[in-house]
Amino acid sequence: MYEEWFKAKEHENYVEATEAGPLHALLSGTISTEEATKQLTLPGSGSTRPETASRKLWRLWTLVFDAAEELPETHSILVDLIREFRERADVRLKYGPDTIDWTNAPNFDQNWRDTHDSLKAWRGNSAEESQRWINFSAFSARVATANIAELDTIWGFFTISDALEAEGQSPQLLDTDVCASAQWILYAGKAIYQTNNTHVSEHWQIENSQKTALWKGKAGFSRERWAFWEERLHQVELSPSVSEESKEMVRKATKAMRAIETGKEPYV
């Protein structure tokens, strides 16, 4: 499985066999998650540039994130892989002059933020870029709720706010952002619904204070804001400029929101 995808990745200058081989085997089901993490922590060949910790981690997470963006059916496997890295307590290996402590999936958050910002900037430019952003949003929501990396569900709050509290988006951008928001609602909606505003205020003061075009209530999360989002989704569903595919995603999201409100699960 995934031979063509990994063959295409061979032309990317960041890909090395030390990461591509184990990840390919994992996604194809020929090795376990535990075995994959052991192999993925091996140093690179150093054939092009001397191996360092930062290069090793950048190559690893870039390949994982590429898979998350382009192979959404692998998300549950990738989440289990990150969980396995988190549990590799006291595993320290040398990479050139550096040592990596593999506990807690090192550098995941930094590389995630770089990828997030890049995908967000390019979303809506093409159908391919839009789908990558939507898939990455689904993956991020799964990781955030699994508590396996330094990734906060507040990013879902921002994604939903950007989509449903803005005005004047092009039809393609609205389609993209609504679908990305739906992923956060489907996979992390319960956590967002239970957001503690003290946490939001303490850790996200700048973003929390920003005004949006359509939300006129208090800053931060509230049940009123949640209800506003639900109403906005209903409006989007009725819009003639929104694609039928996006409308179907909206229906799934609103169904999930009603389930969350009444405490019913599962809703994905």
Side-chain angles (χ1 to χ4, degrees):
M1 295 175 64
Y2 302 114
E3 285 83 1
E4 291 302 316
W5 190 82
F6 279 94
K7 186 176 181 179
K9 288 297 169 184
E10 291 176 2
H11 300 290
E12 303 283 349
N13 60 14
Y14 76 88
V15 175
E16 285 204 17
T18 43
E19 292 82 40
L23 188 62
H24 187 182
L26 175 65
L27 298 185
S28 300
T30 59
I31 62 173
S32 67
T33 306
E34 182 179 5
E35 179 59 29
T37 58
K38 290 179 181 178
Q39 294 186 24
L40 284 166
T41 56
L42 294 175
S45 65
S47 58
T48 56
R49 287 191 295 178
E51 182 69 299
T52 65
S54 61
R55 287 178 188 146
K56 171 66 181 182
L57 293 169
W58 179 78
R59 288 198 313 272
L60 170 64
W61 296 128
T62 299
L63 188 61
V64 168
F65 295 154
D66 276 1
E69 296 160 30
E70 299 174 27
L71 306 172
E73 70 278 9
T74 68
H75 285 176
S76 60
I77 300 173
L78 297 176
V79 169
D80 287 342
L81 176 67
I82 298 165
R83 182 181 291 108
E84 186 68 28
F85 275 121
R86 183 179 178 87
E87 295 174 355
R88 286 178 66 75
D90 300 322
V91 176
R92 295 177 175 83
L93 297 174
K94 291 285 288 184
Y95 301 84
D98 306 322
T99 300
I100 297 179
D101 178 354
W102 282 95
T103 309
N104 295 332
N107 280 29
F108 175 94
D109 53 339
Q110 175 184 329
N111 286 278
W112 177 90
R113 179 62 187 272
D114 290 344
T115 301
H116 170 277
D117 291 356
S118 177
L119 290 173
K120 183 177 181 180
W122 285 95
R123 80 197 194 286
N125 286 356
S126 67
E128 180 182 1
E129 294 295 342
S130 293
Q131 193 59 55
R132 290 170 73 96
W133 172 244
I134 294 165
N135 292 344
F136 191 72
S137 296
F139 167 74
S140 300
R142 285 174 179 248
V143 172
T145 54
N147 295 316
I148 54 175
E150 295 296 325
L151 181 55
D152 201 305
T153 55
I154 195 66
W155 291 103
F157 173 95
F158 296 148
T159 300
I160 298 168
S161 175
D162 286 346
L164 301 179
E165 298 175 8
E167 58 184 358
Q169 302 114 305
S170 67
Q172 184 174 358
L173 186 59
L174 180 60
D175 264 12
T176 300
D177 284 356
V178 164
C179 288
S181 297
Q183 304 309 313
W184 277 99
I185 292 169
L186 289 169
Y187 294 108
K190 183 178 180 180
I192 295 170
Y193 189 68
Q194 297 173 342
T195 295
N196 182 324
N197 254 352
T198 301
H199 166 78
V200 174
S201 298
E202 288 178 352
H203 298 281
W204 303 94
Q205 290 181 358
I206 296 175
E207 291 89 343
N208 185 44
S209 64
Q210 290 178 341
K211 301 293 184 181
T212 64
L214 299 180
W215 172 245
K216 305 304 181 184
K218 293 182 179 179
F221 179 78
S222 64
R223 299 296 166 86
E224 292 78 16
R225 199 165 193 169
W226 176 272
F228 175 78
W229 291 342
E230 193 169 352
E231 176 58 32
R232 282 283 295 130
L233 285 172
H234 285 302
Q235 294 172 8
V236 169
E237 186 180 358
L238 297 174
S239 172
S241 64
V242 175
S243 70
E244 285 302 318
E245 183 180 358
S246 296
K247 289 181 179 181
E248 178 58 28
M249 190 60 66
V250 165
R251 286 189 281 271
K252 290 181 180 180
T254 53
K255 181 180 179 181
M257 293 178 86
R258 290 192 294 270
I260 293 165
E261 291 159 13
T262 56
K264 295 178 181 178
E265 296 185 73
Y267 46 85
V268 176

